[in-house]
Amino acid sequence: MKIYVCVKHVPDSAANIALKDSKHIDDNVTLLLNPYDEYAVTEAVSFKKYLNEKTSLCGTDDDTEVIVVSLGKKDAEKTLRSAMAMGADRGILIETEKIEDSITTARLLKAAIEKDGVPGIIFTGRESIDMAGMQTMFRLGANFGFPVANNVVKFTPDITNNSVEVETLTEASGRDLYQLSLPCVLGAGRGLNSPAYPTFPDVVKAKKKQILSVSKNELNIDKPQASTEIIELKLFAGKRTPEEIKGDLSQKITSLVKILKEEAKII
Amino acid sequence: MKKTGIIIEFKNGAVKDASYGMIACARNGGGDSLYAFVINEDAQVHKEALEAHGIHNIVDICLPEIGTCKESGSQAGWNPVIWSQAVMEAMQIHGISELFGLTTPMGRELLPRIAAKLDAPLVMDCIEVNCSEGIVQNYLYSGKTLATIKVKGDIRIYGIRPNVIEPAPAPVSASMFTVTYSNAHKNEPDCGKITLLESRPGDNSDGDLLEADVIISGGRGMQNGENFKLLHQCARYLGAKVGASRVAVDLGWVPYSMQVGQTGEKVSPRVYIACGLSGSVQHFAGMKMSGMIIAINNNPNAAIMANCDYFIEGDLFDVIPALTEALSKAK
Ligand SMILES: Cc1cc2nc3c(=O)[nH]c(=O)nc-3n(C[C@H](O)[C@H](O)[C@H](O)COP(=O)(O)OP(=O)(O)OC[C@H]3O[C@@H](n4cnc5c(N)ncnc54)[C@H](O)[C@@H]3O)c2cc1C
């Protein structure tokens, strides 16, 4: 089975963001594998192990592989390497200089996957921490005609029935349980598993794994009519001027209650 | 005439305040004709309330196969796959070209499913929408930038961040419609390939940070899960919900649904009280849009102390119980 994982190269969550121009950030920051995608890669790799164990029992040959796919600049290779250090077998980089919206991204991901093979299942993270569009997995599923579940926190394959059971996280720690037929698209949420940091030998091994580069043009997708486009980007510091509430404990509390009552008007 | 559909959310049998804010948002630069989509609720009961906020048409979306069992609190008969299809059907029947929903757990399921099916553009977590121009604002890069986004398409879909847009009553009178969605549609491509087996509602006592007016959060400084009781006691008097930093979640003190931040909930309460948390970049990503931030920390050099509206330098184990006591007396 071919297990695809869509991953994104995003600015480090702790990075300071600066602007290059009125629409783009200065990408001279540390970029790395989107945190939610770590759960996706980890789950894909353990699913592969599970499938291999099953097939070795049945005696069929094993051609199960985990392929990570990323859309981004050349630099996104680093994120593919990180995913391969976590156990993915090879990578596909769809090279583009532009920031693509979710509609185009999902089309390009589909085209690249289709060009490579027939997906048995596709994992993504539940959202990317840079654009937080929360929709690419749904579009990818719709483009393929596959069912989709997002924010998956539990994954139970049922290979004999060619389906999977998942739990998704809902409001206030609630859970929805779904059965999806394979192939399907699953957006990994926090709690699905505990990603392990790759060891040094894993990192070295990942350097030798194959990355296939395709250009956006090669994939030759239909240009969508609909789009979302960033027309302006401004830094949002949210800078505040702190004022200390002083005095002994009872004075502090009196002042605090006064602020909550008179200024914030919440009590 | 442009027709706008709005997916209304309910809580304990009433329209959520955040839904009223969303209606106000939909009226901005458009709103010729607003259609409230009421799914699996008794639409008649909410007619007056919706009319008071400028809704011209109320579409009662019925799902007979699911039934309208009224469980208290949660959305009766919740099934995102069927609900999103029913909304698309209502959109088609009424010629809706613009759809609004909240960026809540419900909206995060329905809006992208609909957008994907219709191949329509969608922006989630909008804090402002100009309908006539198709221009929205939201925070990108973990709340570090404010983006203006142009949305192009025959049908446009907007997810609105709860609590940032104030409700603005504007009374009109509304017509009632009913759309009955039945399983006859089951042979559409996706149906049957995904089946909801069970929906286990969460515990409302720890959730709902997204729409809270006041949040009091604890971090590593709380020392253990037991001590979060102090925050819950104080929260009762403040009408607040209790949140947490990731450290408090990772250490198993409180559930993940309470985490505020980049990889937790992104909240916009009127007041955010941060207790024993340092104010990491990732935590700020989830709460920097709060109206007022108050920090309680024993370390004057903690990052939160340099980027809040008020701070108390002190031990939270002194400050919080004293605050709770003062509030209890004030009542
Ligand atoms: C990819 C990624 C995503 C992340 N996402 C999130 C996220 O969504 N949300 C999040 O919160 N973090 C997130 N983090 C973690 C973040 O980097 C910090 O580690 C975390 O926010 C720190 O939690 P804290 O403030 O509770 O702990 P600390 O930084 O240890 O701060 C504890 C604070 O409590 C104070 N304190 C201690 N005792 C007392 C006392 N008795 N009275 C008063 N004050 C006291 C201390 O002075 C200190 O300032 C993320 C990290 C990464 C790498």
Side-chain angles (χ1 to χ4, degrees):
Chain A
M1 185 193 279
K2 286 199 174 1
I3 303 169
Y4 289 91
V5 190
C6 303
V7 297
K8 191 171 183 188
H9 194 48
V10 301
D12 182 345
S13 59
N16 273 323
I17 297 288
L19 295 182
K20 187 170 76 187
D21 55 42
S22 66
K23 289 182 190 171
H24 301 93
I25 64 159
D26 179 355
D27 43 22
N28 232 334
V29 291
T30 315
L31 291 117
L32 33 77
L33 178 61
N34 180 45
Y36 290 111
D37 302 350
E38 293 180 4
Y39 304 112
V41 175
T42 304
E43 202 62 23
V45 171
S46 72
F47 185 40
K48 175 187 159 174
K49 279 204 192 102
Y50 167 88
L51 289 172
N52 283 345
E53 274 162 27
K54 281 209 97 155
T55 49
S56 69
L57 288 176
C58 312
T60 42
D61 64 343
D62 116 51
D63 57 356
T64 299
E65 51 174 351
V66 175
I67 306 123
V68 276
V69 190
S70 189
L71 172 75
K73 297 185 179 171
K74 181 103 183 109
D75 190 53
E77 265 189 30
K78 288 187 193 137
T79 269
L80 290 172
R81 296 270 173 228
S82 308
M84 292 191 290
M86 294 172 75
D89 299 299
R90 57 187 177 87
I92 300 172
L93 174 65
I94 309 164
E95 262 188 80
T96 169
E97 281 301 305
K98 221 181 115 197
I99 294 177
E100 307 290 354
D101 66 16
S102 303
I103 298 177
T104 298
T105 300
R107 287 187 190 205
L108 289 168
L109 289 172
K110 184 199 176 208
I113 291 172
E114 241 174 8
K115 196 169 172 222
D116 185 76
V118 179
I121 190 166
I122 303 174
F123 289 96
T124 72
R126 83 156 211 206
E127 69 185 69
S128 65
I129 63 165
D130 55 353
M131 294 298 157
M134 312 176 193
Q135 53 188 277
T136 305
M137 66 297 293
F138 289 99
R139 295 192 188 276
L140 189 59
N143 291 351
F144 270 110
F146 296 165
V148 184
N150 198 27
N151 209 7
V152 171
V153 292
K154 192 170 175 209
F155 170 74
T156 318
D158 180 2
I159 296 307
T160 33
N161 284 315
N162 199 35
S163 70
V164 299
E165 263 185 48
V166 302
E167 290 183 21
T168 65
L169 189 64
T170 61
E171 202 161 14
S173 309
R175 300 279 178 104
D176 282 346
L177 277 62
Y178 294 95
Q179 184 180 45
L180 296 93
S181 57
L182 286 171
C184 63
V185 180
L186 300 179
R190 167 161 180 200
L192 180 58
N193 48 49
S194 315
Y197 285 105
T199 61
F200 182 68
D202 291 335
V203 175
V204 174
K205 234 163 69 188
K207 288 204 175 118
K208 296 192 190 113
K209 293 182 182 173
Q210 178 208 0
I211 293 180
L212 187 78
S213 261
V214 287
S215 74
K216 186 185 156 188
N217 293 341
E218 255 171 89
L219 291 172
N220 204 14
I221 56 160
D222 294 335
K223 193 176 154 44
Q225 269 200 315
S227 65
T228 57
E229 186 196 349
I230 298 172
I231 53 175
E232 196 190 2
L233 205 58
K234 279 193 259 185
L235 287 182
F236 176 67
K239 198 74 196 132
R240 296 164 195 258
T241 320
E243 190 178 314
E244 179 169 6
I245 300 175
K246 292 194 184 123
D248 64 21
L249 184 61
S250 88
Q251 287 166 328
K252 282 175 179 167
I253 297 298
T254 308
S255 310
L256 178 55
V257 171
K258 194 162 178 240
I259 290 164
L260 293 174
K261 206 176 243 163
E262 289 168 16
E263 194 182 330
K265 300 195 172 66
I266 57 158
I267 48 172
Chain B
M1 186 170 68
K2 191 169 59 189
K3 294 179 174 179
T4 305
I6 304 171
I7 302 174
I8 306 294
E9 288 194 30
F10 296 88
K11 172 110 205 174
N12 300 324
V15 176
K16 282 184 181 176
D17 276 346
S19 287
Y20 291 130
M22 170 169 59
I23 297 171
C25 177
R27 292 209 313 265
N28 180 19
D32 301 336
S33 191
L34 301 187
Y35 287 73
F37 290 160
V38 177
I39 312 171
N40 254 15
E41 273 279 336
D42 191 344
Q44 197 65 43
V45 173
H46 306 290
K47 182 167 186 267
E48 244 173 78
L50 292 168
E51 283 177 325
H53 285 264
I55 290 290
H56 310 102
N57 304 280
I58 297 170
V59 184
D60 187 355
I61 301 182
C62 304
L63 306 161
E65 273 89 355
I66 292 185
T68 32
C69 55
K70 292 268 180 287
E71 303 148 27
S72 66
S74 71
Q75 311 116 336
W78 168 241
N79 184 328
V81 181
I82 294 177
W83 284 35
S84 55
Q85 282 165 351
V87 170
M88 281 188 278
E89 174 137 319
M91 288 172 74
Q92 201 186 9
I93 289 171
H94 291 282
I96 302 291
S97 60
E98 204 173 56
L99 181 69
F100 280 76
L102 292 170
T103 307
T104 50
M106 182 169 145
R108 279 182 213 153
E109 279 289 336
L110 298 182
L111 299 176
R113 284 186 191 279
I114 295 167
K117 265 287 158 57
L118 300 176
D119 213 7
L122 161 68
V123 182
M124 295 295 276
D125 233 357
C126 300
I127 56 163
E128 202 180 301
V129 177
N130 180 329
C131 301
S132 50
E133 306 282 328
I135 287 177
V136 304
Q137 290 205 310
N138 74 354
Y139 297 107
L140 297 183
Y141 298 100
S142 316
K144 291 167 198 165
T145 65
L146 181 64
T148 307
I149 297 174
K150 173 88 187 157
V151 183
K152 282 190 208 144
D154 298 337
I155 294 179
R156 305 195 280 238
I157 307 181
Y158 306 110
I160 308 301
R161 178 186 284 239
N163 262 16
V164 279
I165 300 157
E166 286 281 319
V172 291
S173 67
S175 318
M176 302 291 292
F177 298 93
T178 303
V179 169
T180 306
Y181 183 82
S182 80
N183 270 351
H185 300 260
K186 269 240 159 138
N187 40 13
E188 272 184 34
D190 258 16
C191 262
K193 289 192 191 167
I194 171 165
T195 319
L196 181 70
L197 304 173
E198 191 189 336
S199 198
R200 291 188 210 137
D203 171 9
N204 266 330
S205 61
D206 65 43
D208 256 14
L209 284 176
L210 271 181
E211 287 151 65
D213 253 351
V214 184
I215 294 175
I216 181 163
S217 281
R220 193 195 299 274
M222 295 307 297
Q223 292 175 4
N224 57 47
E226 186 68 13
N227 288 337
F228 269 78
K229 265 201 201 134
L230 297 174
L231 300 186
H232 282 286
Q233 283 159 357
C234 189
R236 267 218 305 276
Y237 294 106
L238 291 169
K241 290 284 178 187
V242 179
S245 75
R246 172 157 169 178
V247 166
V249 173
D250 283 351
L251 291 170
W253 298 346
V254 293
Y256 173 47
S257 58
M258 283 169 65
Q259 183 179 317
V260 171
Q262 175 153 46
T263 49
E265 296 295 354
K266 302 195 177 74
V267 298
S268 324
R270 272 156 62 199
V271 179
Y272 190 90
I273 306 175
C275 310
L277 61 83
S278 61
S280 63
V281 178
Q282 293 94 344
H283 193 80
F284 261 104
M287 43 62 92
K288 69 201 280 190
M289 313 79 177
S290 305
M292 178 189 283
I293 298 175
I294 300 169
I296 298 167
N297 199 301
N298 58 11
N299 176 4
N301 298 321
I304 188 100
M305 306 294 251
N307 201 8
C308 59
D309 298 293
Y310 293 101
F311 66 89
I312 291 181
E313 185 188 333
D315 190 327
L316 73 91
F317 294 103
D318 297 331
V319 177
I320 298 300
L323 174 61
T324 307
E325 201 192 316
L327 292 169
S328 75
K329 282 189 187 140
K331 282 269 148 144

